């Protein structure tokens, strides 16, 4: 066995088994090795154990992501550098998804995780959902999450005043939602770690644009018309239409919008609903209603003169 090539994978299996308390499995993995291979294995284990701690006493989301990445890498026989790269092999993709999920579980926002991994929000959402759908990855993510919670404060510089909570506080907001559309705004803002005021404002950053589009799509799925949604956001209906079409082409964001829509409240009892809010359609270009066509037939076209009949 050549530990120069397979050492990281073997070390990952040993660390995984040891973390589960499966000492017999550890013994079985080590038994076939000779003295030279054991020495090499010890060196590889030392490197991988050291990687599970941040390289510097950093605080905040970066330290959380670093801990999650360093803990997930040996489980899948890969390296932190590979997780942060563009490599898409199965072991690296699984390790990346587990690390993202652990970071999400301990409270980091989608934008914070996406920024550290140099991905977009949709990639993080997809990774979290993929991990949840696979028991092996979900189990690994749970152990990485526990590891992050155990190790995060241990490496922070003292005094205790420098210790930062793992869970990011939501930005302060005085917004009080009224009705399903505004509840969609609040839910989308929370999912993206921002505020309803940002979604309803003119901010065009990627975070604001994605969160705003998800809120619009959730309201649309809930049954609200394009003009109704547009009025809430102080935009025109074509902006809403463009946003919903973009979300429909992005499965992770589409799923998030559907989840938000399913949890939206109905209109408050006794709320006045204008007919336009119930069944408001956007006419296609060139469309004329039957009433408009009848009116056109009834009114003479400019330039035409009525024909006069003279009695003889």
């Amino acid at each position: 066995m050549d530990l120069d090539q397979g050492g990281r994978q073997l070390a990952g299996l040993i660390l995984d088994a040891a973390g589960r308390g499966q000492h017999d499995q550890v013994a079985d993995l080590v038994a076939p090795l000779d003295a030279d291979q054991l020495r090499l294995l010890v060196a590889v284990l030392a490197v991988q154990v050291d990687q599970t701690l941040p390289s510097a006493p950093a605080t905040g989301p970066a330290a959380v992501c670093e801990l999650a990445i360093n803990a997930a890498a040996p489980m899948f026989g890969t390296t932190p550098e590979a997780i942060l790269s563009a490599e898409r092999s199965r072991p690296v993709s699984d390790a990346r998804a587990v690390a993202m999920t652990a970071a999400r579980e301990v409270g980091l926002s989608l934008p914070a995780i996406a920024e550290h991994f140099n991905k977009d929000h949709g990639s993080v959402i997809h990774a979290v959902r993929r991990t949840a759908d696979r028991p092996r990855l979900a189990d690994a993510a749970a152990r990485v999450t526990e590891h992050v919670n155990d190790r995060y404060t241990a490496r922070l510089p003292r005094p205790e005043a420098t210790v930062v909570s793992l869970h990011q506080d939501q930005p302060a907001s005085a917004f009080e939602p009224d009705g399903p559309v505004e509840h969609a705004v609040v839910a989308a803002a929370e999912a993206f770690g921002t505020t309803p005021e940002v979604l309803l404002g003119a901010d065009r950053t990627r975070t604001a644009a994605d969160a705003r589009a998800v809120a619009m799509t959730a309201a649309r799925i809930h049954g609200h018309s394009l003009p109704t949604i547009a009025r809430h956001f102080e935009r025109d209906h074509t902006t809403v239409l463009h946003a919903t079409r973009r979300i429909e082409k992005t499965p992770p964001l589409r799923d998030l919008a559907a989840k938000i829509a399913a949890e939206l409240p109905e209109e408050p009892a006794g709320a006045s609903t204008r007919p336009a809010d119930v069944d408001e359609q956007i006419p296609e270009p060139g469309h004329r209603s039957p009433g408009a066509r009848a009116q056109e037939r009834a009114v003479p076209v400019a330039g035409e003169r009525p024909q006069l009949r003279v009695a003889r």
Side-chain angles (χ1 to χ4, degrees):
M1 176 182 178
D2 186 357
L3 285 176
D4 289 337
Q5 296 180 3
R8 284 199 301 268
Q9 185 174 3
L10 177 60
L13 292 173
I14 291 174
L15 289 175
D16 185 49
R20 295 168 176 266
Q22 298 174 344
H23 304 298
D24 291 341
Q25 184 177 352
V26 174
D28 292 339
L29 291 169
V30 174
L33 305 181
D34 58 30
D36 291 336
Q37 290 174 329
L38 284 172
R39 280 193 292 270
L40 289 172
L41 177 62
V42 169
V44 174
L45 282 170
V47 171
Q48 295 209 1
V49 170
D50 183 65
Q51 285 178 347
T52 61
L53 294 174
S55 58
T59 62
V64 173
C65 290
E66 187 178 352
L67 273 170
I69 291 169
N70 289 337
M75 291 183 177
F76 296 88
T78 186
T79 64
E81 292 77 14
I83 292 177
L84 291 173
S85 72
E87 184 175 342
R88 300 181 64 180
S89 65
R90 176 54 64 85
V92 173
S93 295
D94 286 349
R96 185 183 298 123
V98 164
M100 287 180 172
T101 302
R104 186 68 173 147
E105 286 294 320
V106 299
L108 296 192
S109 66
L110 294 174
I113 300 170
E115 180 180 3
H116 192 86
F117 285 83
N118 196 28
K119 306 290 183 183
D120 57 31
H121 316 120
S123 296
V124 180
I125 295 173
H126 175 72
V128 172
R129 291 185 182 276
R130 188 165 71 88
T131 300
D133 291 340
R134 291 166 172 76
R136 181 177 68 90
L137 299 185
D139 180 64
R143 284 183 284 122
V144 171
T145 302
E146 183 180 1
H147 170 83
V148 172
N149 284 321
D150 288 343
R151 298 292 184 90
Y152 182 72
T153 56
R155 294 277 293 188
L156 294 179
R158 295 302 184 255
E160 290 295 335
T162 62
V163 177
V164 182
S165 172
L166 282 176
H167 295 270
Q168 294 175 300
D169 296 330
Q170 281 292 114
S173 171
F175 184 80
E176 295 183 1
D178 180 19
V181 176
E182 293 185 0
H183 277 281
V185 173
V186 172
E190 182 178 353
F192 284 86
T194 185
T195 64
E197 289 85 351
V198 171
L199 271 64
L200 296 173
D203 191 334
R204 299 182 66 180
T205 61
R206 180 63 178 271
T207 298
D210 283 353
R212 186 181 299 120
V214 165
M216 289 177 173
T217 305
R220 187 68 173 145
I221 294 172
H222 196 254
H224 298 276
S225 67
L226 296 175
T228 299
I229 300 168
R231 282 196 299 271
H232 281 276
F233 287 87
E234 295 186 358
R235 285 163 168 81
D236 58 47
H237 72 271
T238 57
T239 300
V240 181
L241 183 61
H242 172 73
T244 55
R245 285 177 175 173
R246 182 167 69 85
I247 296 302
E248 283 297 320
K249 296 176 182 178
T250 312
L253 297 182
R254 182 186 62 206
D255 293 344
L256 176 60
K259 180 177 182 296
I260 291 174
E263 297 173 355
L264 291 179
E266 298 300 325
E267 291 286 354
S272 61
T273 304
R274 291 176 295 179
D277 288 346
V278 176
D279 186 18
E280 191 168 8
Q281 301 295 329
I282 304 300
E284 296 293 334
H287 171 79
R288 293 180 300 166
S289 66
R293 290 195 296 269
Q295 186 178 13
E296 289 175 359
R297 288 194 297 268
V299 178
V301 179
E304 290 186 358
R305 295 183 178 181
Q307 299 291 328
L308 299 180
R309 292 180 179 274
V310 180
R312 294 180 182 272

